[in-house]
Amino acid sequence: MNVKHPMRLALAVLLFGIGSLRAQSLHEAIDARIAAGAPDYAKKSAPLATDAEFLRRVSLDLTGTIPAAAEVPTFLGDKSVDKRGRLIERLLASPEHARRLAYVFDNLLMDRRPDKNVPGAEWQKFLRESFAANKPYDALVREVLSADGADPKARAAARFVLDRDAEPHLLTRDISRIFLGMNLTCCQCHDHPLVNAYKQDHYYGLYSFLSRSQVVLEAKPVALGEKADGDVTFTSVFDPSKAVKTAMLRVPFGPIVAEPKLEKGKEYKVAPAKGVRGVPQFSRRSQLAPNLAASRQFARTAANRLWAMMMGRGLVHPVDFDHKANPPSHPELLDQLTDDLIAHKFDVRWFLKELALSQTYQRSSVRPNGSEPAPEKFLVAALKPLSPEQLAWSLMQAVDLPIAQRGLGQVTSFVNTFGGKPGEPESGFQATLDQTLFVSNGSLLRQYLASLTGQLAKAKDDAAVADELFVGILTRRPTADELRMVADYLKGREKDRPAALQELAWALLASAEFRFNH
């Protein structure tokens, strides 16, 4: 089915119906379902982004940085009809893609916590190598939740649990939020007062997998130990009778996990002792990862989070409040994304490719005809603030900083200034005074500008300067008006031309056009 044109796409949905979408590629089905969700789709959907807009957007989303200046004229000059698809393939196969996802999932899983029991560099390497190998997402999560830190080969994966000190309440809240899209924080003391679907027994069923484990500080290296006994009971603070309930070992909405009866005195493979971590014959914690990863809610949350990463918001929004009273904007689409992610065995690279190939992803961020379609319709591309890591790598790319000088040390300065509070999920874009000062007077940015000025001085004329600045920083050619503005600004400033060039570059780097992915 030809879906290159919005009107044809809307007509196709009417003629063939949604049922036929299962036979399409996922990216075509995405576009058809988005069209079906908007009766005025052809009128209110934005046109496809220009090649320059698409090149910048997909580079930021898939590799975490703007493209190198040399790539821009090559892509813009390519007249082949499949060039966007080939670009997506190349970006997904690049080392920078693995680095990008390592940053995304480090932030998601660890909330920028400082190092404690496992070095962050080892954890980052584990994530980067996992995504470089295109490890299935469910396998990655199984490793993260199963690792106990005792095996040196798997120690890096244990950071999720070890650097939270295996505190069961903290782990219960974070696991439910991150992997199940359910913010169960309020359910520690009672059923959720605002979300009828979130129950206290959901919280303590998950908690039961974790309550017997603890960090054994005396172990070398520090690792997790586990007791062989200990049931979990809970009482609602709102229950006047104060009835005590015993938690069932289960992931929310999943089956109850049966615990075998063990002969007294034979409960352990390794009995706990001072400096010795206990290893029970039946490990409750070892049951968590397979039961969680087998849950449809796990796959649904993964699909929704990956969609939000690419599209700027989830089909369920906010992504960690998935419940019947907050349904997805396109229920059938989220079902199909979930089904296809499961069918493709949690292949993140394939999934992101399909999202990027869709017209829904490739639409312009400019609203058509002055209309303002609701963001949950996905008719216009969302404006997404660059993450601290994206901002750091993009600045280094924009000023063409030598490869040898690009690295974690440079990125850390941006994370410290633009990142959220360590240990807490990021809550959206908020500009601060520190960020303003960093951009306006920061020594690091001034150092970058000084490096760029030396390169700009080689440009033969003002038009060449403008072209180099706009292509290298904004991934597009300057307009006629912008060419005139640059020429007017530089006119008569021959004596202080280096300073004038720095100011021009700074203005572009500090602009909203650079600060946002659009």
Side-chain angles (χ1 to χ4, degrees):
M1 179 166 59
N2 190 332
V3 293
K4 295 296 184 182
H5 191 279
M7 187 64 76
R8 292 178 189 169
L9 179 58
L11 182 60
V13 172
L14 291 174
L15 290 176
F16 296 104
I18 290 297
S20 66
L21 299 182
R22 292 287 180 174
Q24 293 180 300
S25 64
L26 180 57
H27 67 269
E28 291 176 318
I30 287 169
D31 294 329
R33 291 192 186 279
I34 293 296
D40 47 2
Y41 172 80
K43 179 181 178 181
K44 291 189 175 180
S45 60
L48 293 184
T50 66
D51 283 342
E53 291 171 326
F54 174 76
L55 173 61
R56 185 179 190 273
R57 180 190 303 166
V58 76
S59 297
L60 281 164
D61 283 333
L62 296 184
T63 65
T65 182
I66 61 173
E71 297 177 35
V72 179
T74 301
F75 185 76
L76 298 185
D78 187 348
K79 304 302 181 184
S80 57
V81 296
D82 65 338
K83 69 178 185 179
R84 294 193 179 191
R86 287 188 288 108
L87 173 64
I88 292 167
E89 291 272 13
R90 178 171 65 80
L91 296 176
L92 287 170
S94 70
E96 290 77 18
H97 174 64
R99 182 186 69 193
R100 159 69 170 157
L101 290 188
Y103 280 126
V104 169
F105 281 88
D106 176 32
N107 188 20
L108 172 64
L109 299 177
M110 297 307 301
D111 297 321
R112 304 194 189 283
R113 282 179 167 79
D115 294 3
K116 191 166 189 179
N117 294 309
V118 177
E122 293 181 12
W123 163 255
Q124 276 278 346
K125 182 174 182 286
F126 160 73
L127 291 176
R128 192 168 59 251
E129 291 178 348
S130 295
F131 288 115
N134 198 28
K135 183 181 294 179
Y137 178 68
D138 63 331
L140 173 66
V141 174
R142 286 170 187 261
E143 289 181 33
V144 166
L145 295 182
S146 298
D148 56 24
D151 181 358
K153 295 180 180 179
R155 183 167 176 77
R159 185 172 187 237
F160 181 86
V161 176
L162 287 180
D163 279 20
R164 286 174 169 83
D165 293 321
E167 205 290 305
H169 285 296
L170 177 58
L171 284 169
T172 298
R173 294 194 294 267
D174 285 351
I175 288 171
S176 63
R177 173 179 59 83
I178 294 169
F179 300 120
L180 297 174
M182 301 171 65
N183 193 327
L184 297 178
T185 301
C186 286
C187 297
Q188 181 175 342
C189 300
H190 46 71
D191 291 347
H192 201 293
L194 301 177
V195 181
N196 290 334
Y198 293 174
K199 304 299 184 182
Q200 196 176 13
D201 61 358
H202 290 151
Y203 183 98
Y204 282 100
L206 197 55
Y207 179 91
S208 296
F209 289 97
L210 305 159
S211 62
R212 293 178 179 178
S213 297
Q214 63 282 316
V215 174
V216 181
L217 297 174
E218 299 86 0
K220 302 298 180 185
V222 172
L224 285 179
E226 186 174 357
K227 296 185 299 181
D229 58 0
D231 288 332
V232 172
T233 60
F234 61 96
T235 302
S236 172
V237 297
F238 292 153
D239 182 1
S241 70
K242 301 302 179 186
V244 177
K245 300 179 181 179
T246 299
M248 298 291 102
L249 187 64
R250 67 187 303 186
V251 170
F253 312 117
I256 296 174
V257 178
E259 185 165 5
K261 298 287 186 180
L262 297 174
E263 184 179 343
K264 189 173 180 61
K266 296 184 178 181
E267 299 91 346
Y268 287 96
K269 296 178 181 178
V270 178
K274 186 175 182 180
V276 178
R277 64 187 194 92
V279 181
Q281 292 286 353
F282 175 80
S283 165
R284 281 192 170 189
R285 194 176 67 85
S286 71
Q287 300 298 313
L288 173 60
N291 277 274
L292 184 81
S295 164
R296 181 173 177 82
Q297 185 66 25
F298 170 81
R300 175 182 166 102
T301 300
N304 192 49
R305 283 194 176 278
L306 292 171
W307 175 277
M309 169 188 151
M310 296 291 282
M311 305 295 183
R313 63 177 286 137
L315 293 164
V316 173
H317 181 80
V319 293
D320 54 358
F321 271 103
D322 187 4
H323 55 88
K324 290 183 179 179
N326 182 40
S329 57
H330 299 74
E332 296 84 1
L333 174 54
L334 184 53
D335 282 343
Q336 182 164 358
L337 293 174
T338 303
D339 290 342
D340 283 12
L341 185 59
I342 294 171
H344 284 80
K345 299 180 179 179
F346 291 89
D347 186 335
V348 172
R349 194 174 295 174
W350 169 84
F351 192 80
L352 294 179
K353 175 186 173 182
E354 289 298 313
L355 297 188
L357 284 171
S358 71
Q359 288 188 8
T360 302
Y361 174 78
Q362 294 186 26
R363 298 219 168 276
S364 172
S365 59
V366 179
R367 295 179 177 86
N369 307 315
S371 65
E372 293 192 18
E376 64 270 18
K377 295 294 185 181
F378 297 99
L379 304 183
V380 177
L383 295 179
K384 298 177 288 187
L386 301 191
S387 70
E389 293 86 359
Q390 284 177 311
L391 185 59
W393 287 106
S394 295
L395 276 165
M396 290 187 280
Q397 185 79 281
V399 302
D400 198 19
L401 194 70
I403 299 297
Q405 297 179 32
R406 305 182 193 185
L408 183 60
Q410 304 282 342
V411 175
T412 300
S413 296
F414 288 85
V415 170
N416 292 339
T417 303
F418 293 90
K421 186 176 179 181
E424 295 183 5
E426 292 192 348
S427 57
F429 177 70
Q430 290 183 325
T432 66
L433 178 59
D434 285 345
Q435 293 172 9
T436 302
L437 293 174
F438 184 93
V439 172
S440 60
N441 298 311
S443 60
L444 186 58
L445 185 55
R446 290 295 171 183
Q447 174 189 332
Y448 288 170
L449 290 171
S451 171
L452 180 60
T453 301
Q455 302 171 49
L456 290 172
K458 301 174 185 177
K460 297 179 180 179
D461 54 40
D462 294 347
V465 167
D467 193 66
E468 188 167 343
L469 276 172
F470 277 77
V471 168
I473 296 176
L474 300 181
T475 318
R476 65 173 176 84
R477 304 243 183 238
T479 65
D481 285 344
E482 288 165 339
L483 284 171
R484 283 193 294 271
M485 290 173 62
V486 170
D488 289 344
Y489 181 75
L490 294 176
K491 188 175 181 180
R493 298 198 62 176
E494 289 78 9
K495 292 183 179 180
D496 66 340
R497 188 175 177 84
L501 293 174
Q502 278 199 32
E503 290 168 4
L504 272 175
W506 174 85
L508 295 181
L509 291 170
S511 68
E513 185 173 352
F514 185 81
R515 182 70 180 85
F516 284 80
N517 191 359
H518 46 81

